[in-house]
Amino acid sequence: MSTTVVKTGTEGKTWGGGNEPLKASYGKMMMWFFIVSDALTFSGFLAAYGFSRFKFSQSWPIADDVFTHVPFLHGQELPMIYVAFMTFILIMSSVTMVLAVDAGHHMNKAKVTLYMFLTVIGGVIFLSSQAWEWSTFIKGDYGAVGTHGGNIIHFVDTDGNRVALKDFATAEASARERHESKKGIWFTSETSLPSFTFNEVVKGFEANPNLLVQTTYSDENGKKIILSRSKSLNELKTKGKNVVEGANLIQNEYGPPLFADFFFFITGFHGFHVSIGVMLNIIVFFNVIVGTYERRGSYEMVEKVGLYWHFVDLVWVFVFTFFYLV
Amino acid sequence: MADAHNLEIFRGLVKFKSNTQKIWGVLILLTIVTAVEVVLGIYKPGILMGNVLGMSILNWIFIILTIVKAYYITWDFMHMRDETAAFRRMAIWTGVFLISYLIFILLQEGDYIGDVFANGFVKQDF
């Protein structure tokens, strides 16, 4: 018996050490605890989003009016279709991940390789879809007028269909040029100017008698209120301030600035998680190929990375509900 | 490990023969739930727009369906069904308790501030 190791004589008893009461390895448990804490981070964001929504419940944009685009189908209003596709891609890649874990339990290297590869592909498709979604959101659609109070005014025709600024604004000769740091005071510059000035929009609005103003406020049925022609003119002239096209962190054409802020922040944070997940999946994929886990005799690493990947899917399920459905 | 899977869902109503089959079964379930959500989200049937507990019935349906999806992702994809009960409770109850608390507090506060904006003497439409 060694002189340096003291044995308690209680090995094998409940409190003697060496027990695994939860029957899970250290790594897997720590991955779960990380997931719990990360879930709390995400719920912090989503709860803050909910807070702002309840605070601005009357002026919050309707998701179906914002996310209506599908790639390659220009000019068609197809709310939800594309996000549903993204959700399906992510669930699908979750499935291939679970199949990889299952194949790992059977020590089937070829199948783990195949399923890990498909999982990575799914993640990449999701990320590119999200990039497209962002660029569409940033570019904007119809354009709007911002008011002094920070609200947004939309334009509709008499049938209630949205009308884009470029379809009615009267172009005028304008001396206003974008200020860049190289052209004048070197320490200031500004972002690109909107395609129309506020005056051009007002002129175009006066010239088209069939245009109406859609305010940012919802009625009791959840539809945005449309004003009569005379009230529309009054609303635009007294409250209007500037032209808003697309979205950034300061102003967006869809509704309150916080809407775009939360959109960028929460889907961005989720997208960041997905890209980390794709990276981990690629590392594990190559480890599988070179046979690291085969030699180790256990594919548990696939399972741990799988947990993270499913968590990313789980978060997306909630983001999908709260950004696009509710 | 490979044989330790619990292959029943719906409290034993549906039993799968193998783990792989269960995975595909859960995928079908998740797809159906998502499809229902999307169809409801596109058509927004007027009958579901009534207000219950501060939100429309439709929104409640969406949230419940989301929790259903979250349950099956956690239980079957993340293998929570196969973990020991103590481990499961450690992860799930902690999260559920803290998240419900946070959501309750923040939504309550947001609703109150929304009321102040609507009924108080704060002018924001100018």
Side-chain angles (χ1 to χ4, degrees), chain B residues 105-125:
Chain B
I105 293 286
L106 280 187
L107 294 192
Q108 189 72 18
E109 188 69 10
D111 198 31
Y112 168 72
I113 296 178
D115 278 355
V116 171
F117 274 178
N119 309 323
F121 299 98
V122 183
K123 188 174 173 65
Q124 45 170 352
D125 187 26

Side-chain angles (χ1 to χ4, degrees), chain A residues 28 64 98 102 149 239 321, chain B residues 19 23 41 66 83 106 125-126:
Chain A
K28 200 162 127 184
D64 279 7
V98 135
D102 187 64
K239 294 179 183 171
T321 303
Chain B
N19 193 34
I23 295 166
T66 305
E83 305 291 353
L106 280 187
D125 187 26
F126 52 90

Side-chain angles (χ1 to χ4, degrees), chain B residues 7-91:
Chain B
L7 297 176
E8 297 174 354
I9 65 171
F10 298 140
R11 299 207 161 264
L13 201 67
V14 179
K15 271 189 194 172
F16 294 104
K17 286 194 196 72
S18 71
N19 193 34
T20 328
Q21 215 178 41
K22 185 179 83 168
I23 295 166
W24 290 112
V26 172
L27 169 69
I28 291 168
L29 179 77
L30 292 179
T31 312
I32 292 171
V33 172
T34 309
V36 169
E37 283 182 337
V38 169
V39 169
L40 284 178
I42 291 174
Y43 292 106
K44 291 196 189 268
I47 197 167
L48 297 175
M49 290 318 239
N51 195 316
V52 177
L53 293 174
M55 259 194 299
S56 69
I57 302 170
L58 189 65
N59 283 359
W60 282 113
I61 293 178
F62 285 146
I63 289 169
I64 290 164
L65 288 180
T66 305
I67 292 170
V68 168
K69 280 204 280 188
Y71 172 84
Y72 283 102
I73 289 173
T74 323
W75 254 244
D76 290 308
F77 288 175
M78 295 166 103
H79 301 301
M80 254 321 181
R81 214 184 277 281
D82 306 329
E83 305 291 353
T84 57
F87 187 31
R88 202 160 57 213
R89 286 166 195 162
M90 219 149 66

Side-chain angles (χ1 to χ4, degrees), chain A residues 66-92:
Chain A
V66 179
F67 307 101
T68 59
H69 299 271
V70 175
F72 311 116
L73 297 174
H74 294 289
Q76 295 187 44
E77 298 254 325
L78 299 163
M80 307 264 307
I81 301 292
Y82 194 54
V83 219
F85 163 77
M86 280 166 72
T87 310
F88 185 71
I89 286 290
L90 210 55
I91 290 179
M92 213 43 224

Side-chain angles (χ1 to χ4, degrees), chain A:
Chain A
M1 194 177 172
S2 160
T3 49
T4 50
V5 175
V6 179
K7 295 226 170 177
T8 55
T10 54
E11 292 81 20
K13 293 190 175 162
T14 308
W15 299 102
N19 279 323
E20 282 192 355
L22 301 176
K23 298 187 181 59
S25 73
Y26 175 79
K28 200 162 127 184
M29 246 163 72
M30 288 308 123
M31 181 51 95
W32 261 111
F33 292 157
F34 164 72
I35 286 173
V36 170
S37 71
D38 213 22
L40 291 175
T41 309
F42 268 110
S43 28
F45 292 158
L46 282 173
Y49 170 81
F51 171 85
S52 308
R53 256 192 97 152
F54 270 66
K55 185 172 161 186
F56 296 110
S57 56
Q58 293 307 303
S59 55
W60 207 255
I62 300 161
D64 279 7
D65 301 339
V66 179
F67 307 101
T68 59
H69 299 271
V70 175
F72 311 116
L73 297 174
H74 294 289
Q76 295 187 44
E77 298 254 325
L78 299 163
M80 307 264 307
I81 301 292
Y82 194 54
V83 219
F85 163 77
M86 280 166 72
T87 310
F88 185 71
I89 286 290
L90 210 55
I91 290 179
M92 213 43 224
S93 83
S94 235
V95 167
T96 53
M97 187 80 224
V98 135
L99 289 170
V101 173
D102 187 64
H105 285 158
H106 297 108
M107 299 297 285
N108 187 335
K109 183 180 160 183
K111 268 195 171 171
V112 181
T113 315
L114 171 70
Y115 287 134
M116 282 309 292
F117 180 72
L118 291 176
T119 310
V120 169
I121 296 294
V124 170
I125 296 178
F126 179 83
L127 279 176
S128 2
S129 306
Q130 207 170 39
W132 185 87
E133 183 93 351
W134 268 48
S135 86
T136 317
F137 186 81
I138 291 170
K139 210 178 337 152
D141 197 359
Y142 296 103
V145 161
T147 69
H148 294 284
N151 279 336
I152 285 296
I153 290 176
H154 291 153
F155 299 99
V156 293
D157 61 18
T158 40
D159 299 329
N161 298 317
R162 290 285 303 277
V163 178
L165 291 184
K166 65 172 187 296
D167 293 337
F168 71 88
T170 323
E172 290 182 326
S174 164
R176 180 77 169 81
E177 208 179 319
R178 178 180 176 189
H179 172 56
E180 291 167 305
S181 53
K182 66 179 182 195
K183 285 183 186 158
I185 310 171
W186 55 270
F187 51 83
T188 60
S189 63
E190 64 184 2
T191 51
S192 58
L193 295 172
S195 344
F196 305 102
T197 64
F198 175 61
N199 282 333
E200 287 169 349
V201 172
V202 174
K203 283 241 170 62
F205 189 80
E206 283 171 334
N208 287 282
N210 60 336
L211 286 180
L212 298 172
V213 156
Q214 186 185 38
T215 66
T216 190
Y217 293 100
S218 307
D219 59 15
E220 59 274 13
N221 298 321
K223 295 258 185 330
K224 295 293 174 194
I225 297 167
I226 297 175
L227 301 175
S228 67
R229 175 71 187 171
S230 57
K231 276 189 182 164
S232 294
L233 275 167
N234 186 43
E235 179 93 356
L236 181 62
K237 283 181 185 163
T238 54
K239 294 179 183 171
K241 189 180 84 174
N242 59 339
V243 172
V244 186
E245 284 173 322
N248 53 47
L249 290 174
I250 298 159
Q251 215 168 15
N252 68 78
E253 63 165 63
Y254 311 105
L258 275 176
F259 173 68
D261 296 351
F262 275 115
F263 177 80
F264 289 132
F265 198 64
I266 295 179
T267 64
F269 196 63
H270 176 262
F272 172 69
H273 273 74
V274 178
S275 38
I276 296 288
V278 169
M279 215 177 66
L280 292 174
N281 282 345
I282 289 174
I283 294 171
V284 167
F285 171 68
F286 281 111
N287 275 345
V288 171
I289 287 185
V290 300
T292 311
Y293 307 128
E294 197 76 29
R295 281 195 298 279
R296 196 178 285 174
S298 152
Y299 278 88
E300 206 194 52
M301 194 54 83
V302 179
E303 197 173 334
K304 284 180 239 175
V305 172
L307 282 178
Y308 178 76
W309 190 249
H310 297 311
F311 170 68
V312 165
D313 181 23
L314 187 68
V315 170
W316 179 255
V317 165
F318 283 93
V319 172
F320 172 66
T321 303
F322 293 118
F323 268 95
Y324 298 96
L325 289 175
V326 170

